[in-house]
Amino acid sequence: MELLVASAIGILTAGGIYLMLRLRTFPVILGMSLLTYAVNVFLFASGRLTVGAPPILRDGATLYTDPLPQALVLTAIVISFGMTAVVVMIGLGAFLGSDDDHVDDPTDASDPKAEGRS
């Protein structure tokens, strides 16, 4: 079970980093979302992966899960949804303002260092 969760976290992280390096608005937003999911799964897995165990410590309970990572993941989901909405609106505004969805800064034609770049 731990190998499956660790592999999922690694795949989500690798996919998120790859998409964030694409320098286009939509893949960057998807990459940020994948990184958010990877962090959420990591936080959730840090509270012990047990099946059927209550998240509340009761008298006489020998097996339980830590409720703090679950609360942190719920909070992170809400925050990431709000941040994704903000980033989508900023990207949409930038696209409508310049008719281009590149994330990188435009090069200045008078800059001698910018001659090799296009």
Side-chain angles (χ1 to χ4, degrees):
M1 180 70 159
E2 287 85 8
L3 179 65
L4 179 66
V5 173
S7 298
I9 292 170
I11 290 170
L12 285 172
T13 303
I17 290 172
Y18 172 76
L19 286 173
M20 287 188 68
L21 293 175
R22 295 291 306 259
L23 296 178
R24 295 279 195 186
T25 305
F26 188 66
V28 168
I29 293 170
L30 286 179
M32 285 178 38
S33 297
L34 283 179
L35 282 175
T36 302
Y37 297 148
V39 169
N40 287 343
V41 172
F42 176 73
L43 284 175
F44 190 72
S46 69
R48 281 194 268 167
L49 297 173
T50 56
V51 178
I56 300 171
L57 184 60
R58 298 181 186 159
D59 292 334
T62 58
L63 186 64
Y64 66 94
T65 59
D66 190 9
L68 183 63
Q70 296 175 13
L72 287 173
V73 167
L74 285 175
T75 305
I77 289 170
V78 172
I79 291 171
S80 68
F81 180 73
M83 285 304 299
T84 302
V86 168
V87 170
V88 165
M89 293 310 294
I90 290 172
L92 184 62
F95 174 72
L96 293 175
S98 66
D99 292 329
D100 190 17
D101 67 341
H102 281 284
V103 176
D104 56 344
D105 293 331
T107 57
D108 188 13
S110 63
D111 187 13
K113 296 178 188 175
E115 289 178 13
R117 295 182 273 167
S118 55

